[in-house]
Amino acid sequence: KQEVTQIPAALSVPEGENLVLNCSFTDSAIYNLQWFRQDPGKGLTSLLLIQSSQREQTSGRLNASLDKSSGRSTLYIAASQPGDSATYLCAVPMEYGNKLVFGAGTILRVKS
Amino acid sequence: DAGVTQSPTHLIKTRGQQVTLRCSPKSGHDTVSWYQQALGQGPQFIFQYYEEEERQRGNFPDRFSGHQFPNYSSELNVNALLLGDSALYLCASSLDGYEQYFGPGTRLTVT
């Protein structure tokens, strides 16, 4: 059974800091890994999708890495801004087209 | 290009009642998945529909049922509502299960 863990559960940083969010999964036989952002009471916005054959993906100030063999992924946010405040979730499907298994998320607060 | 839409946005029901939630997938998508998200937790998979049939199901009781229509839109039905069914219900669409795009969710409160 796939289990996804995210550390830390919550993070508060001053504006401008670079930060790293961590995601670990127990079964390395994943097809890809997605990072999502969720604002309070809202739906999920896809940030980055990394294929199992890739090591990292970048979008603007965001960079996600994937190490399948160790069962870990990190989301790096550069020069954080108050608008980055949200919950960040990682999720993995076990197979193509399969259900997503989510972590509980990291609640990020960026203080101005 | 409209993304995934869900209706209603919010609703309040009483224990024992039945509820139907609706989802329209992103244009060009043929697969719809439903998730339940309790407060402070990650979404939990309920089921997935493809070609009008339930393709996968998570660990949810039979009180949770669904349907997919020929235009790929979908409904989630929950019977005999319990207080514990209060949650944010998320619909996600994809093209045959590839990258999933989520809707804004329906907030269900059971009193």
Side-chain angles (χ1 to χ4, degrees), chain A:
Chain A
K1 177 185 174 185
Q2 178 73 278
E3 294 183 0
V4 179
T5 303
Q6 293 188 243
I7 295 174
L11 182 63
S12 182
V13 300
E15 181 177 6
E17 273 204 7
N18 302 323
L19 55 98
V20 174
L21 308 182
N22 297 290
C23 171
S24 61
F25 43 94
T26 54
D27 189 333
S28 62
I30 62 171
Y31 190 80
N32 57 45
L33 184 145
Q34 275 186 268
W35 281 94
F36 294 90
R37 168 187 171 135
Q38 185 175 34
D39 293 297
K42 304 297 184 182
L44 278 60
T45 300
S46 181
L47 297 174
L48 290 164
L49 182 149
I50 313 176
Q51 298 290 356
S52 60
S53 58
Q54 295 178 311
R55 297 285 294 181
E56 64 178 63
Q57 275 280 16
T58 298
S59 176
R61 295 183 293 109
L62 305 180
N63 176 276
S65 67
L66 175 62
D67 184 343
K68 270 187 60 176
S69 60
S70 66
R72 292 184 297 184
S73 176
T74 61
L75 179 66
Y76 175 83
I77 302 177
S80 59
Q81 304 170 358
D84 295 331
S85 298
T87 296
Y88 291 80
L89 296 148
C90 69
V92 293
M94 292 301 296
E95 300 171 354
Y96 182 88
N98 207 332
K99 66 179 184 180
L100 290 176
V101 179
F102 283 85
T106 294
I107 301 171
L108 172 65
R109 179 187 172 208
V110 181
K111 299 171 288 185
S112 58

Side-chain angles (χ1 to χ4, degrees), chain B residues 7-28:
Chain B
S7 63
T9 304
H10 300 90
L11 74 165
I12 301 174
K13 291 288 188 178
T14 304
R15 277 178 298 177
Q17 286 188 318
Q18 179 265 344
V19 68
T20 297
L21 311 183
R22 296 177 176 83
C23 172
S24 292
K26 183 178 170 64
S27 177

Side-chain angles (χ1 to χ4, degrees), chain B residues 53-74:
Chain B
E53 290 193 0
E54 183 181 287
R55 181 159 73 173
Q56 300 174 59
R57 188 177 183 91
N59 188 26
F60 279 80
D62 292 343
R63 297 187 298 108
F64 290 76
S65 63
H67 188 77
Q68 185 179 36
F69 299 94
N71 66 354
Y72 306 120
S73 66
S74 177

Side-chain angles (χ1 to χ4, degrees), chain B:
Chain B
D1 176 26
V4 180
T5 61
Q6 293 186 244
S7 63
T9 304
H10 300 90
L11 74 165
I12 301 174
K13 291 288 188 178
T14 304
R15 277 178 298 177
Q17 286 188 318
Q18 179 265 344
V19 68
T20 297
L21 311 183
R22 296 177 176 83
C23 172
S24 292
K26 183 178 170 64
S27 177
H29 285 183
D30 58 6
T31 304
V32 173
S33 302
W34 287 92
Y35 294 81
Q36 179 195 67
Q37 186 178 26
L39 202 60
Q41 299 182 20
Q44 298 293 316
F45 176 78
I46 303 174
F47 42 55
Q48 182 182 85
Y49 278 85
Y50 173 71
E51 292 188 343
E52 301 181 50
E53 290 193 0
E54 183 181 287
R55 181 159 73 173
Q56 300 174 59
R57 188 177 183 91
N59 188 26
F60 279 80
D62 292 343
R63 297 187 298 108
F64 290 76
S65 63
H67 188 77
Q68 185 179 36
F69 299 94
N71 66 354
Y72 306 120
S73 66
S74 177
E75 289 182 347
L76 164 65
N77 301 291
V78 187
N79 295 322
L81 285 167
L82 303 174
L83 294 179
D85 295 331
S86 295
L88 181 67
Y89 287 84
L90 296 164
C91 169
S93 74
S94 60
L95 181 59
D96 193 19
Y98 191 58
E99 184 175 3
Q100 295 189 29
Y101 291 81
F102 283 78
T106 294
R107 170 69 63 187
L108 171 63
T109 301
V110 182
T111 63

